[in-house]
Amino acid sequence: MLVPDLPLRTDRLVLRAFTADDLAALTAYRSRPEVTRYLYHEPYDEAAAAAAIERLRGRTAVRAPGDVLNLAMVLPATGELVGDVLLTWTSGEHQQGEIGYVLHPDHTGRGYVTEAAREMLRLGFEGLGLHRIVGRLDARNSASARVLERLGMRREAHLRENEFVKGEWTDEVVYAMLGREWRARSTAT
């Protein structure tokens, strides 16, 4: 079980629970086709964003397999919501998890996603005691692949046309890291 003491702070971000006040900011990036191109959902309209906010507001702890911790990525100086990051507990028996992230395109190239995703890895390995955490992505999403590589995750699989998403067969790439690899990296720095 993982119930983090929110908000969390990294070097340049505050990771906090979503609130109803985040609706406009979430809509600002999740409504953009270039942001949702490689995600499972279409760009949000106002109704979809409102439903997402309600769902996200409840994702503040991981108590059982299947639970998701989904946090808002906020710039501390301005309070601006720039994206979101998640940790999913995918298997209790096999001690597995998954990370994911979405960022407003106005804030790409600054390392925010890598910083927030690193915190999700820390929570998964050190807080939840997971053995293995994966990152899954559309094979065309080279920017996301670079994030996972910067985190030290290993590319383990390229699954050809394994999912039918938004009217087309897509390839999926899977990256992973083991708990012992995380601990070795953590003690080396």
Side-chain angles (χ1 to χ4, degrees):
M1 182 169 72
L2 172 68
V3 182
D5 185 18
L6 299 177
L8 303 172
R9 297 186 184 282
T10 64
D11 289 343
R12 299 174 301 147
L13 297 169
V14 172
L15 304 177
R16 62 159 173 80
F18 276 89
T19 71
D21 293 337
D22 293 324
L23 179 60
L26 180 78
T27 305
Y29 64 94
R30 290 270 186 145
S31 65
R32 296 175 148 203
E34 70 271 25
V35 171
T36 61
R37 178 177 181 201
Y38 301 123
L39 300 178
Y40 290 107
H41 65 79
E42 295 293 340
Y44 284 171
D45 59 16
E46 193 170 313
I53 283 289
E54 286 308 306
R55 189 174 55 252
L56 294 170
R57 288 176 63 193
R59 293 179 168 181
T60 58
V62 179
R63 292 183 171 88
D67 285 354
V68 179
L69 175 66
N70 213 147
L71 302 176
M73 296 170 36
V74 176
L75 299 178
T78 63
E80 182 182 4
L81 173 73
V82 297
D84 55 269
V85 64
L86 68 80
L87 170 67
T88 305
W89 187 4
T90 57
S91 173
E93 178 183 2
H94 303 292
Q95 301 172 333
Q96 307 266 331
E98 180 177 344
I99 59 168
Y101 38 80
V102 181
L103 186 70
H104 191 297
D106 290 352
H107 299 280
T108 59
R110 298 179 186 151
Y112 293 145
V113 168
T114 304
E115 189 172 318
R118 185 175 291 113
E119 183 66 7
M120 294 295 103
L121 288 173
R122 185 190 71 75
L123 289 171
F125 289 127
E126 297 175 17
L128 200 52
L130 296 177
H131 170 69
R132 182 173 183 270
I133 298 176
V134 301
R136 300 179 310 117
L137 58 130
D138 184 303
R140 298 169 294 183
N141 192 344
S142 57
S144 186
R146 285 191 300 273
V147 167
L148 298 174
E149 290 164 1
R150 277 193 298 274
L151 290 168
M153 297 179 84
R154 168 186 56 266
R155 183 174 165 152
E156 290 190 339
H158 185 129
L159 308 171
R160 303 282 301 172
E161 296 185 13
N162 70 311
E163 294 185 313
F164 193 74
V165 179
K166 298 179 183 173
E168 66 180 326
W169 287 104
T170 62
D171 289 8
E172 180 181 35
V173 174
V174 179
Y175 283 79
M177 179 181 278
L178 299 175
R180 69 175 172 264
E181 294 167 330
W182 171 261
R183 289 185 295 278
R185 290 177 65 85
S186 297
T187 58
T189 57

